[in-house]
Amino acid sequence: MAKKSSVEKNKQRRELVAQQAAKRAELKAIIKQKDIDDGDRFEAVLKLAELPRNGSKVRIRNRCEMTGRPRAYYRKLGLSRIALRDLASTGQIPGMVKSSW
């Protein structure tokens, strides 16, 4: 089980990203436009730099929904390999069986 503080910090980052997404997208669109005056583009860069760093999407860490484990994460299922195996072993995932050879 991951530390609760790490899991909570990641949840706060997700919320902040959701709040800041529109503002960040607008500023990035201004920065990418080449036909706008350089001064206006530079102001957009400065405004983007003033926004909180945790509002950036790349700061979010994928974590297991059950345990909070940050590694060995399956995006399709939202679980770590260990949680997936536990659920499969108890028969809670339809169609998944433990392999043996």
Side-chain angles (χ1 to χ4, degrees):
M1 189 75 181
K3 289 175 28 177
K4 285 188 178 183
S5 61
S6 299
V7 174
E8 290 301 317
K9 193 184 302 182
N10 204 39
K11 284 181 185 176
Q12 289 176 350
R13 284 182 181 154
R14 285 187 188 276
E15 292 171 5
L16 191 59
V17 166
Q19 289 174 359
Q20 304 268 326
K23 193 181 297 185
R24 283 182 164 280
E26 182 181 321
L27 289 172
K28 285 184 179 184
I30 292 171
I31 292 168
K32 286 184 180 180
Q33 291 178 358
K34 300 295 180 187
D35 57 343
I36 295 179
D37 182 37
D38 288 340
D40 294 337
R41 288 176 54 207
F42 186 67
E43 285 179 24
V45 170
L46 293 178
K47 285 182 185 177
L48 185 64
E50 288 177 1
L51 293 176
R53 288 185 181 181
N54 283 337
S56 178
K57 192 175 178 181
V58 297
R59 303 273 292 207
I60 296 174
R61 181 80 163 130
N62 289 331
R63 289 184 174 272
C64 176
E65 293 295 321
M66 290 179 58
T67 61
R69 181 181 166 88
R71 298 183 182 217
Y73 175 83
Y74 290 104
R75 289 180 185 211
K76 227 176 191 178
L77 303 169
L79 297 172
S80 68
R81 63 180 176 83
I82 298 169
L84 179 65
R85 184 178 170 132
D86 288 342
L87 290 176
S89 294
T90 58
Q92 295 180 359
I93 301 176
M96 187 172 279
V97 292
K98 183 175 177 238
S99 65
S100 60
W101 58 90

